[in-house]
């Protein structure tokens, strides 16, 4: 046997004609790669020069895929969507002959940890054939479908479209398009690609769950809640950039979390580019948006009518300012040297919804709240942490290490309130009033300078007393630290008083996506601890926002807005906190408020309601607005329960009698059962009992009490 093989090899070596020797030699020289098998080598591949790529995503090779479409034109078959060429395309049949949804299903043949879908529209048909409203579903067996794991509205432009979502094990991926929402007679795809990660992220319900993703037609860098539960979001003059603004318009989206409908429009009637503004919801429930790229204007938004109204210009030009609502419903604004020049001190002024006018407060000096930013004055007064408080006062908690009281009577004034413990300046950190009854504010993170600065994980609880008193400042968490250093992060107070904290960077650089924090945290004031929650897989850093939804979940969205850069995020994700989930990840049964609540109630009054089960607690959370890490509208008021024995499920709560605690405006009422699971909120208007609003007449006060009448008069 040994001699036989030795001779064979000797013959191959000496004669060079033995077949075995030939193919072994070819193999060793890598010449056996013949190209006879199918290989996915497309002439076009996705590029991400104007949007953030799927985080650690790898394009899945498509040679083994099969596609199934529920409609196709004869000359534009389904398989064209993966043929590697951007000059061919799949097209549906005429939409007028089809059902409401058109779908394309991909069989990957094996399971992947799928994390993104990218499509290229037909490139030679302008806006014809574009898919805008869509849903994405995944399955392991083509029978049981999970999702939608992403849905929403892509921009109505002939450009690559991307949906990113949490890595999900799947063999089948289905894209459905809403045919009724398209402006074309057909829809099509030139190229379809999927991305996957080389890892999975554990889904542990006790730490909360991420998803679905909502795709928006704009990069959402600013947003606010409406009484209806809808969320209004906007970018700047363009959907994807703020620079080079011509002024006079804002690209906007509106999302209904219940119906999942996403719509868009460009707001032009207020002649206002509302990028980097101050935002507050005034005492009438009207959203007041000030300054920004167009630095003087005021725009008012009536969510009930979905209508923007042009307001009166501010006295000073401002951008990156902060504003907050006072206990009589007026709005105080200060700072904002990013726009309108930094050579003029951006002292305070106040807006009165009863008259629609601004009043300058030369005594409410901005100088005491300046940070020592390395870039100088244009950064030093940005993004103030402002809280309307008792007796028409405003408490400024940061981001400067120096804290201050502001007063709006007469020409305005201020008073120092000491330093925030041992903290440094904390630009682009967060501050959240999680218990307004006790005057408690959580401050977390930030960095000494606006840009190119290391973040901290510093955390404090500030407790307010009466206006003018120095507050009590204590460390929050172990050693006064969160788990992670963060800047450009966002935070939301939940109905149970805990604070959800997401995103951010350890080293803050605007429009940069390195050093990202993917693991959120939850602050529990009862135990004074921070707990790490479930990791996500989408970058959320500069220009992101978070908003509490009426169902107790959180929208975490945005990032970027830098034009042709790879940091733009046209999307948001839903985070479901642990209090809504069972151990198996199913949604818990919720308590329900069965009473039809009054539309309006005054501070100090009693609110009666009944529920479908025993509840353990109740709270009010004010509707919020958010941009650039600032959310001065949100605050929580815990409500002690009174029970009408022996009537099962009947309760009453007393609204605190101080409008400095319960700032007038719209509030969400939540009730929590004994497991801590919150109800879906009911929203009510709470009015101030302060009888004079900036010296207004009786007729003017009627406008303040009637937002609809006020907006009609302003429109005239």
């Amino acid at each position: 046997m040994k001699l036989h093989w030795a001779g064979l090899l000797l013959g191959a070596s000496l004669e060079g004609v033995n077949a075995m020797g030939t193919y072994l030699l070819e193999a060793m020289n890598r010449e056996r790669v013949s190209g006879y098998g199918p290989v996915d080598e497309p002439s076009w591949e996705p590029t991400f020069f104007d949007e953030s790529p799927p985080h650690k995503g790898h394009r899945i090779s498509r040679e083994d895929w099969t596609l199934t479409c529920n409609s196709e034109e004869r000359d534009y078959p389904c398989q064209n969507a993966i043929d590697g060429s951007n000059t061919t395309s799949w097209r549906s049949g005429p939409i007028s002959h089809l059902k409401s949804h058109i779908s394309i299903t991909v069989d990957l043949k094996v399971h992947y940890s799928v994390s993104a879908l990218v499509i290229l529209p037909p490139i030679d048909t302008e806006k014809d054939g574009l898919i805008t409203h869509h849903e994405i579903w995944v399955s392991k067996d083509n029978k049981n479908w999970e999702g939608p794991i992403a849905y929403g509205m892509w921009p109505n432009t002939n450009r690559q479209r991307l949906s990113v979502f949490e890595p999900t094990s799947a063999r089948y991926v289905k894209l459905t398009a809403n045919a009724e929402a398209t402006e074309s007679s057909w829809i099509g795809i030139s190229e379809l690609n999927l991305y996957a990660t080389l890892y999975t992220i554990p889904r542990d319900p006790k730490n909360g769950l991420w998803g679905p993703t909502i795709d928006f037609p704009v990069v959402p860098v600013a947003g606010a809640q409406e009484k209806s539960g809808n969320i209004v979001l906007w970018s700047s003059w363009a959907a994807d950039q703020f620079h080079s603004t011509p002024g006079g318009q804002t690209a906007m989206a509106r999302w209904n979390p219940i119906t999942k409908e996403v719509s868009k429009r460009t707001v032009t009637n207020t002649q206002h580019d509302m990028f980097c503004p101050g935002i507050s919801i005034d005492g009438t429930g009207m959203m007041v948006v000030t300054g920004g790229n167009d630095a003087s204007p005021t725009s008012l938004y009536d969510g009930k009518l979905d209508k923007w109204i042009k307001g009166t210009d501010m006295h000073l030009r401002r951008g990156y300012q902060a504003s907050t609502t006072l206990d009589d419903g007026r709005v105080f604004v200060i700072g904002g040297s990013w726009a309108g020049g930094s050579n003029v001190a951006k002292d305070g002024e106040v807006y009165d919804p009863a008259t629609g006018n601004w009043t300058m407060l030369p005594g409410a000096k901005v100088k005491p709240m300046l940070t020592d930013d390395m870039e100088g004055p244009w950064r030093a007064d940005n993004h103030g942490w402002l809280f309307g408080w008792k007796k028409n006062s405003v408490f400024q908690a940061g981001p400067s290490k120096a804290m201050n009281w502001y007063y709006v009577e007469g020409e305005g004034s201020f008073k120092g309130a000491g330093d925030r413990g041992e903290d440094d300046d904390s630009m682009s950190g967060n501050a959240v009033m999680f218990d307004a009854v006790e005057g408690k504010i959580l401050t977390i993170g930030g960095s000494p300078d606006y840009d190119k600065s290391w973040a901290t994980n510093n955390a404090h609880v500030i407790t307010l007393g009466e206006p003018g008193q120095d507050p009590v400042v204590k460390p929050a968490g172990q050693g006064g630290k969160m788990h992670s250093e963060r800047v450009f992060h966002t935070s939301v107070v939940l109905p149970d008083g805990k604070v959800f904290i997401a995103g951010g960077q350890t080293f803050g650089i605007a429009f940069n996506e390195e050093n990202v924090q993917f693991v959120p945290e939850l602050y529990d004031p009862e135990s004074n601890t921070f707990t790490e929650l479930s990791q996500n897989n989408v970058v959320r850093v500069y220009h992101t926002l978070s908003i509490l939804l009426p169902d107790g979940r959180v929208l975490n969205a945005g990032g970027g807005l830098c034009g042709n850069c790879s940091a733009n995020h046209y999307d948001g994700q839903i985070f479901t906190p642990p209090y809504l989930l069972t151990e198996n990840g199913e949604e818990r049964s919720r308590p329900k408020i069965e009473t039809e609540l009054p539309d309006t109630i005054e501070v100090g009054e009693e609110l009666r309601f009944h529920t479908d089960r025993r509840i353990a607690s109740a709270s009010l959370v004010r509707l919020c607005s958010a941009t650039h890490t600032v959310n001065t509208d949100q605050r929580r008021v815990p409500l002690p329960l009174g029970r009408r024995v022996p009537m099962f499920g009947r309760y009453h709560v007393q609204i605190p009698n101080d409008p400095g605690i319960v700032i007038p405006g719209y509030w969400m009422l939540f009730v929590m059962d004994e497991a801590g699971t919150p109800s879906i909120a009911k929203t009510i208007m709470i009015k101030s009992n302060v009888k004079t609003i900036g010296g207004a007449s009786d007729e003017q006060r009627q406008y303040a009490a009637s937002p609809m009448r006020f907006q009609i008069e302003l429109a005239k």
Side-chain angles (χ1 to χ4, degrees):
M1 179 73 70
K2 293 180 180 179
L3 291 174
H4 171 78
W5 282 108
L8 182 61
L9 291 173
L10 181 61
S13 175
L14 294 176
E15 300 174 14
V17 295
N18 185 278
M20 179 181 291
T22 300
Y23 73 70
L24 282 176
L25 185 62
E26 289 178 352
M28 288 187 290
N29 291 332
R30 299 182 180 179
E31 296 171 357
R32 303 297 293 182
V33 181
S34 64
Y36 297 134
V39 179
D40 182 25
E41 295 181 343
S43 61
W44 180 89
E45 289 189 38
T47 57
F48 301 98
F49 66 90
D50 62 353
E51 59 190 335
S52 181
H55 180 64
K56 293 189 176 180
H58 298 266
R59 192 180 72 87
I60 303 174
S61 187
R62 302 176 296 178
E63 58 264 18
D64 296 325
W65 293 10
T66 58
L67 300 187
T68 305
C69 299
N70 68 351
S71 172
E72 65 180 18
E73 282 284 346
R74 180 188 304 174
D75 296 332
Y76 301 92
C78 195
Q79 208 68 15
N80 279 3
I82 58 170
D83 67 1
S85 172
N86 63 355
T87 62
T88 62
S89 63
W90 157 72
R91 292 188 185 184
S92 72
I95 286 176
S96 59
H97 300 163
L98 300 174
K99 297 180 180 179
S100 60
H101 287 83
I102 302 170
S103 67
I104 182 168
T105 303
V106 182
D107 180 359
L108 301 170
K109 300 301 182 182
V110 294
H111 289 77
Y112 289 88
S113 186
V114 184
S115 63
L117 177 146
V118 183
I119 65 168
L120 179 70
I123 63 173
D124 56 353
T125 59
E126 296 184 353
K127 291 190 177 183
D128 286 343
L130 294 182
I131 296 174
T132 52
H133 295 79
H134 62 278
E135 295 181 347
I136 299 171
W137 302 72
V138 294
S139 174
K140 295 180 178 180
D141 57 9
N142 204 23
K143 296 178 182 178
N144 301 296
W145 290 90
E146 177 184 349
I149 60 172
Y151 71 88
M153 182 182 186
W154 283 317
N156 190 27
T157 56
N158 194 344
R159 56 179 289 275
Q160 172 183 298
R161 284 101 197 292
L162 167 69
S163 283
V164 297
F165 36 85
E166 292 305 301
T168 305
S169 178
R171 172 177 166 177
Y172 299 89
V173 179
K174 179 166 62 177
L175 169 66
T176 64
N178 186 344
E180 296 176 349
T182 186
E183 299 176 2
S184 177
S185 60
W186 55 276
I187 62 171
I189 296 174
S190 177
E191 284 288 287
L192 184 152
N193 283 274
L194 293 168
Y195 284 73
T197 59
L198 300 180
Y199 53 85
T200 59
I201 297 176
R203 293 173 61 86
D204 188 349
K206 74 174 183 294
N207 292 323
L209 295 175
W210 287 94
T213 294
I214 302 97
D215 294 313
F216 297 114
V218 302
V219 176
V221 301
Q225 293 169 293
E226 302 174 13
K227 178 182 182 293
S228 64
N230 290 341
I231 306 295
V232 57
L233 302 156
W234 66 91
S235 53
S236 182
W237 69 275
D240 63 349
Q241 71 180 62
F242 73 91
H243 51 81
S244 305
T245 177
Q249 65 182 41
T250 299
M252 168 190 161
R254 196 174 187 227
W255 170 53
N256 185 323
I258 298 174
T259 66
K260 301 180 181 178
E261 179 185 359
V262 178
S263 60
K264 71 175 181 71
R265 74 174 183 268
T266 300
V267 180
T268 58
N269 65 301
T270 63
Q271 294 91 52
H272 189 182
D273 181 346
M274 292 179 269
F275 169 73
C276 73
I279 315 173
S280 290
I281 300 173
D282 71 19
T284 72
M286 193 82 74
M287 182 168 63
V288 181
V289 183
T290 58
N293 257 359
D294 284 329
S296 296
T298 301
S299 293
L300 309 173
Y301 180 69
D302 186 327
K304 186 173 183 179
L305 299 178
D306 185 24
K307 184 174 183 179
W308 287 92
I309 304 155
K310 185 174 178 59
T312 305
D313 284 0
M314 294 183 291
H315 290 276
L316 296 181
R317 293 166 52 78
R318 305 176 188 267
Y320 280 15
Q321 72 277 17
S323 60
T324 191
T325 305
L326 303 169
D327 72 356
D328 63 4
R330 291 181 292 163
V331 174
F332 172 78
V333 63
I334 194 168
S337 291
W338 180 85
S342 58
N343 58 335
V344 176
K346 302 299 175 74
D347 298 334
E349 54 186 302
V350 68
Y351 169 77
D352 190 339
T355 64
N357 293 325
W358 287 94
T359 300
M360 197 66 210
L361 302 175
K365 300 294 185 184
V366 73
K367 185 176 181 179
M369 61 172 278
L370 300 181
T371 66
D372 187 24
D373 196 284
M374 64 180 177
E375 294 187 52
W378 79 296
R379 292 294 200 190
D381 65 359
N382 297 178
H383 310 323
W385 303 350
L386 304 181
F387 297 89
W389 193 235
K390 303 173 181 178
K391 301 175 184 176
N392 263 340
S393 64
V394 173
F395 180 70
Q396 176 254 322
S400 63
K401 62 184 177 183
M403 304 181 295
N404 295 278
W405 288 100
Y406 283 94
Y407 309 96
V408 299
E409 287 80 11
E411 294 191 343
S413 59
F414 70 91
K415 179 184 179 184
D419 288 347
R420 194 174 52 256
E422 300 299 319
D423 204 2
D424 201 346
D425 291 341
S426 300
M427 183 58 70
S428 298
N430 295 174
V432 182
M433 183 172 276
F434 62 89
D435 185 343
V437 174
E438 297 295 328
K440 291 189 177 296
I441 300 166
L442 175 70
T443 69
I444 40 178
S447 60
D449 302 293
Y450 198 108
D451 196 30
K452 299 178 182 178
S453 183
W454 290 104
T456 77
N457 59 349
N458 295 344
H460 296 85
V461 170
I462 301 170
T463 303
L464 303 183
E466 291 301 309
Q469 294 180 348
D470 283 357
V472 177
V473 182
K474 293 184 177 180
Q478 185 174 3
K481 305 290 184 182
M482 295 185 287
H483 288 277
S484 300
E485 294 84 3
R486 300 177 192 267
V487 64
F488 302 141
H489 51 295
T490 57
S491 54
V492 163
V493 63
L494 302 178
D496 61 1
K498 297 182 176 69
V499 178
F500 172 73
I501 307 152
Q505 293 174 289
T506 58
F507 186 73
I509 303 179
F511 310 118
N512 171 272
E513 299 204 326
E514 300 171 300
N515 306 304
V516 177
Q517 298 289 13
F518 290 98
V519 178
E521 301 184 42
L522 191 69
Y523 175 69
D524 184 345
E526 291 191 7
S527 61
N528 192 31
T529 57
F530 290 91
T531 302
E532 292 187 320
L533 299 174
S534 294
Q535 173 183 338
N536 76 327
N537 200 59
V538 180
V539 174
R540 300 287 180 207
V541 284
Y542 190 54
H543 282 171
T544 59
L545 58 83
S546 288
I547 291 176
L548 178 68
L549 302 177
D551 65 359
R553 293 179 169 87
V554 178
L555 172 68
N556 181 227
L561 196 68
C562 42
N564 292 335
C565 79
S566 59
N568 290 328
H569 292 264
Y570 292 82
D571 59 21
Q573 284 181 294
I574 302 301
F575 179 77
T576 301
Y579 59 32
L580 288 173
L581 300 169
T582 67
E583 293 182 356
N584 297 324
E586 298 174 353
E587 186 170 340
R588 290 184 187 177
S589 173
R590 296 172 179 263
K592 182 180 179 181
I593 303 172
E594 296 187 323
T595 306
E596 192 67 32
L597 299 180
D599 291 334
T600 303
I601 191 171
E602 193 167 289
V603 295
E605 292 185 353
E606 185 179 77
L607 188 63
R608 296 176 178 269
F609 55 88
H610 64 268
T611 61
D612 65 343
R613 68 190 69 178
R614 187 185 304 275
I615 61 172
S617 61
S619 68
L620 291 167
V621 180
R622 198 171 189 270
L623 296 195
C624 72
S625 60
T627 189
H628 289 79
T629 72
V630 176
N631 189 339
T632 62
D633 276 313
Q634 69 168 336
R635 66 174 60 193
R636 172 182 168 271
V637 173
L639 298 172
L641 288 175
R643 188 171 175 194
R644 296 163 59 190
V645 180
M647 300 296 290
F648 172 77
R650 295 185 178 270
Y651 299 89
H652 65 270
V653 292
Q654 192 80 28
I655 307 299
N657 196 37
D658 194 325
I661 294 172
V662 188
I663 296 293
Y666 286 118
W667 291 76
M668 295 183 287
L669 173 67
F670 291 93
V671 298
M672 278 69 69
D673 64 17
E674 294 174 332
T677 305
S679 64
I680 293 175
K682 292 204 170 186
T683 303
I684 57 174
M685 165 65 76
I686 300 182
K687 296 167 55 179
S688 174
N689 57 8
V690 176
K691 298 305 180 184
T692 58
I693 299 182
S697 66
D698 290 341
E699 182 180 10
Q700 290 169 336
R701 287 196 295 272
Q702 291 176 5
Y703 291 132
S706 176
M708 182 177 294
R709 180 180 175 187
F710 171 59
Q711 69 88 15
I712 291 172
E713 290 299 318
L714 269 185
K716 292 179 180 178

